[in-house]
Amino acid sequence: MASLRLFLCFFLFTASSVNIVCSRSLPKDRIALFVFGDSVYDPGNNNYIDTIARANYYPYGETFFKYPTGRFSDGRLIQDFIAEYANLPLIPPYLQPGNHEFTTGVNFASAGAGALSETNQGFVIDLKTQLSYFKKVAKQLRQELGDAEAMAFLSKAVYLINIGSNDYVLPFISNSTVFQYFSKQQYVGMVIGNLTETIKEIHMEGGRKFGFRNFGSMGCIPLLKALVPGNTTGSCFEQVNELAKLHDAALTEALKEMEIKLEQFKYSMHHLNIYLSELTKNPGRFGFKEVNKACCGSGPYRGISSCGGRMGVTEYELCSDPTQYFYFDSSHVSEKANKQIAQLMWSGPPNITGPYNLKAFFQL
């Protein structure tokens, strides 16, 4: 995989050991959901590693679960709604202790993770490590079910992946000199290279149906708006938006190429741009009152990552009704926003979801 050194890191990580116990039976026509990525999809894996990149404290989880689960939101995340629509239970964190029943899938995502191993290196479960965990699961399934049945099961499964945003944001919040040595195109190329290599490895294990969402206007999250000097008009951090645009274009081309070259490879790509553009113009149409400022945090746009007072800044503000806010904290959206995005990924039209929507994947 591509190599790149980022010298400033924010979280502390100590690896946990996991005993895998696979399912002993395979329900007929069960389509599982396997999830890879970062905090957008992390259901609590970081609860089980030594890191401050956690959301296992108030006010996270307050809306739906009524307690903090480790999800970076007031409630459910995108994959939780996708699982519901597919008649699956909540997909558990891979590192959660206990016996996993892999017949419904498992979630490997880790807050702070990147496609580049050097992004928050040693402090998170990077994409390469997530892939190694998946290979262990696939091996266990083959041992339990036999090669043919395990391959059939893995080929029916759906694979959700969201990774790369930390690779693009970290250089700007860490004062990295990376762009003195790499052009933006080269840097994006390394991120896409690692991501496509991972996809191909999953495909070799049996994966055929992959779901993605593009990054859209990633530079418009409260965290990055707060970094724009004298920002009183809600301006976005355009350098990150430029990287996101390059990423989205490169990923789309890579997926098209893999669709041609890899056996039975299918993908869904949810384009956030149309949704976010309409949301910004008319928040009320989507049931929101506030789309610039976070519900929880401090500073301009509540863009300082202080929600819950555990990330180095103890004082923070908390809104009274998260359902009125698109963003719950400085970098993550509310449960209500997650549900709207999940609905589009599940059943949106081709101009929103790409060749397939996720509902079609669960019917194939």
Side-chain angles (χ1 to χ4, degrees), residues 2 12 40 52 55 82 122-123 147 159 168 180 223 231 272 274:
L12 187 64
V40 171
I52 63 169
I82 298 301
F123 313 144
D147 289 349
Y159 300 82
Y168 299 132
Q180 294 180 16
L223 171 72
N231 190 1
L272 282 170
I274 298 173

Side-chain angles (χ1 to χ4, degrees), residues 6 113-117 119 163-171 179 187 191:
L6 295 174
L116 299 174
S117 296
T119 296
I163 198 102
S165 60
N166 290 305
D167 300 305
Y168 299 132
V169 171
L170 184 61
F179 291 116
Y187 188 79
V191 172

Side-chain angles (χ1 to χ4, degrees), residues 87-106:
N87 295 315
L88 293 171
L90 292 174
I91 306 302
Y94 175 74
L95 293 184
Q96 179 176 286
N99 296 341
H100 288 303
E101 291 291 338
F102 294 130
T103 55
T104 61
V106 70

Side-chain angles (χ1 to χ4, degrees), residues 68-191:
T69 63
R71 291 166 171 82
F72 278 86
S73 186
D74 58 301
R76 288 164 290 183
L77 303 182
I78 292 169
Q79 80 275 1
D80 297 321
F81 291 106
I82 298 301
E84 177 186 326
Y85 303 153
N87 295 315
L88 293 171
L90 292 174
I91 306 302
Y94 175 74
L95 293 184
Q96 179 176 286
N99 296 341
H100 288 303
E101 291 291 338
F102 294 130
T103 55
T104 61
V106 70
N107 190 321
F108 307 101
S110 169
L116 299 174
S117 296
E118 292 82 357
T119 296
N120 291 324
Q121 187 172 25
F123 313 144
V124 297
I125 311 163
D126 62 33
L127 184 60
K128 185 176 181 180
T129 304
Q130 292 179 37
L131 174 63
S132 72
Y133 290 163
F134 171 69
K135 287 183 175 181
K136 290 180 180 179
V137 170
K139 180 179 180 180
Q140 190 75 40
L141 287 169
R142 287 193 296 270
Q143 291 173 344
E144 188 74 18
L145 303 173
D147 289 349
E149 190 171 358
M151 177 61 78
F153 172 72
L154 292 169
S155 66
K156 287 181 181 179
V158 175
Y159 300 82
L160 285 185
I161 304 176
N162 186 87
I163 198 102
S165 60
N166 290 305
D167 300 305
Y168 299 132
V169 171
L170 184 61
F172 296 102
I173 62 176
S174 66
N175 295 316
S176 168
T177 59
V178 62
F179 291 116
Q180 294 180 16
Y181 303 98
F182 299 96
S183 70
K184 290 179 179 177
Q185 289 79 5
Q186 288 174 321
Y187 188 79
V188 170
M190 288 188 287
V191 172

Side-chain angles (χ1 to χ4, degrees), residues 13-325:
F13 171 83
T14 301
S16 299
S17 61
V18 177
N19 294 319
I20 302 176
V21 178
C22 69
S23 62
R24 297 185 179 182
S25 61
L26 186 62
K28 188 177 180 181
D29 298 325
R30 170 64 56 81
I31 296 180
L33 180 62
F34 293 96
V35 186
F36 302 77
D38 51 29
S39 56
V40 171
Y41 287 161
D42 185 356
N45 277 307
N46 278 19
N47 292 349
Y48 306 103
I49 64 176
D50 188 7
T51 177
I52 63 169
R54 293 179 177 176
N56 59 345
Y57 49 85
Y58 177 85
Y60 291 107
E62 65 171 85
T63 299
F64 178 77
F65 298 100
K66 307 303 181 184
Y67 66 93
T69 63
R71 291 166 171 82
F72 278 86
S73 186
D74 58 301
R76 288 164 290 183
L77 303 182
I78 292 169
Q79 80 275 1
D80 297 321
F81 291 106
I82 298 301
E84 177 186 326
Y85 303 153
N87 295 315
L88 293 171
L90 292 174
I91 306 302
Y94 175 74
L95 293 184
Q96 179 176 286
N99 296 341
H100 288 303
E101 291 291 338
F102 294 130
T103 55
T104 61
V106 70
N107 190 321
F108 307 101
S110 169
L116 299 174
S117 296
E118 292 82 357
T119 296
N120 291 324
Q121 187 172 25
F123 313 144
V124 297
I125 311 163
D126 62 33
L127 184 60
K128 185 176 181 180
T129 304
Q130 292 179 37
L131 174 63
S132 72
Y133 290 163
F134 171 69
K135 287 183 175 181
K136 290 180 180 179
V137 170
K139 180 179 180 180
Q140 190 75 40
L141 287 169
R142 287 193 296 270
Q143 291 173 344
E144 188 74 18
L145 303 173
D147 289 349
E149 190 171 358
M151 177 61 78
F153 172 72
L154 292 169
S155 66
K156 287 181 181 179
V158 175
Y159 300 82
L160 285 185
I161 304 176
N162 186 87
I163 198 102
S165 60
N166 290 305
D167 300 305
Y168 299 132
V169 171
L170 184 61
F172 296 102
I173 62 176
S174 66
N175 295 316
S176 168
T177 59
V178 62
F179 291 116
Q180 294 180 16
Y181 303 98
F182 299 96
S183 70
K184 290 179 179 177
Q185 289 79 5
Q186 288 174 321
Y187 188 79
V188 170
M190 288 188 287
V191 172
I192 296 297
N194 281 7
L195 176 54
T196 55
E197 183 177 335
T198 298
I199 295 167
K200 290 175 182 178
E201 293 269 1
I202 296 171
H203 181 270
M204 289 179 63
E205 296 290 338
R208 296 294 183 265
K209 298 178 286 187
F210 295 81
F212 304 88
R213 37 164 271 177
N214 74 354
F215 287 150
S217 301
M218 190 170 65
C220 298
I221 63 175
L223 171 72
L224 295 176
K225 284 184 177 181
L227 295 181
V228 178
N231 190 1
T232 59
T233 60
S235 298
C236 301
F237 199 104
E238 291 305 328
Q239 289 173 288
V240 172
N241 275 348
E242 183 180 347
L243 287 169
K245 185 176 181 180
L246 290 170
H247 174 94
D248 292 343
L251 178 57
T252 298
E253 288 305 309
L255 292 172
K256 289 179 179 178
E257 183 177 345
M258 286 186 284
E259 186 178 32
I260 295 171
K261 294 183 176 181
L262 300 183
E263 180 184 1
Q264 297 180 335
F265 179 89
K266 298 177 177 65
Y267 73 92
S268 171
M269 168 65 92
H270 173 227
H271 296 277
L272 282 170
N273 306 60
I274 298 173
Y275 168 70
L276 292 176
S277 176
E278 293 299 317
L279 175 76
T280 303
K281 293 176 185 176
N282 187 4
R285 174 187 166 193
F286 299 89
F288 296 107
K289 290 184 178 179
E290 179 58 69
V291 296
N292 287 303
K293 183 169 66 174
C295 167
C296 186
S298 57
Y301 305 99
R302 292 184 182 146
I304 296 175
S305 301
S306 59
C307 186
R310 300 283 188 90
M311 299 284 282
V313 180
T314 57
E315 295 184 2
Y316 65 96
E317 299 173 332
L318 178 65
C319 71
S320 60
D321 185 2
T323 66
Q324 298 299 312
Y325 284 71

